[in-house]
Amino acid sequence: MPVDKSSKLFWTGSKTDLIELLYALHSTSVINSGTVDIKELALHFEHFYNIDLGNYYHTFIEIRARKNSKTKFLDKLVEILNQRMEVLDD
């Protein structure tokens, strides 16, 4: 899918990280009260962040097959946000 440069935001992390976030948001039903399907959400992310996610279904299968933390990126987000709040609280 061609990338639309109308958005000025660019995902600079890995595609796998964005796909992990995409599936987490979809799983928690926090967008359109859970009525949006994964394909529509992926298309929105691709447009909004100027990225081609490729075969995100296959990538999700790879994420599920991880041996250690299946939610590596989400774990990192929590850790970094907690660190930021601790620094601000000091």
Side-chain angles (χ1 to χ4, degrees):
M1 165 178 242
V3 173
D4 180 1
K5 299 293 184 188
S6 62
S7 174
K8 295 186 187 316
L9 300 177
F10 295 87
W11 183 263
T12 55
S14 75
K15 286 183 185 184
T16 301
D17 288 350
L18 185 55
I19 292 167
E20 185 178 321
L21 179 61
L22 165 77
Y23 272 89
L25 292 171
H26 185 261
S27 298
T28 55
S29 299
V30 295
I31 300 173
N32 290 358
S33 299
T35 61
V36 65
D37 68 16
I38 198 73
K39 181 178 181 179
E40 184 179 353
L41 196 53
L43 289 171
H44 176 75
F45 272 51
E46 288 179 324
H47 173 76
F48 191 72
Y49 291 119
N50 288 296
I51 190 168
D52 179 357
L53 291 175
N55 188 342
Y56 46 89
Y57 294 112
H58 180 72
T59 302
F60 186 60
I61 290 169
E62 291 175 349
I63 290 169
R64 289 174 46 213
R66 289 175 178 163
K67 295 296 181 200
N68 295 325
S69 173
K70 294 182 188 301
T71 57
K72 184 169 57 171
F73 181 63
L74 297 174
D75 296 345
K76 180 179 173 182
L77 290 177
V78 169
E79 178 185 340
I80 291 173
L81 180 58
N82 279 324
Q83 288 174 359
R84 181 177 186 169
M85 289 189 285
E86 287 172 10
V87 166
L88 292 172
D89 290 345
D90 288 344

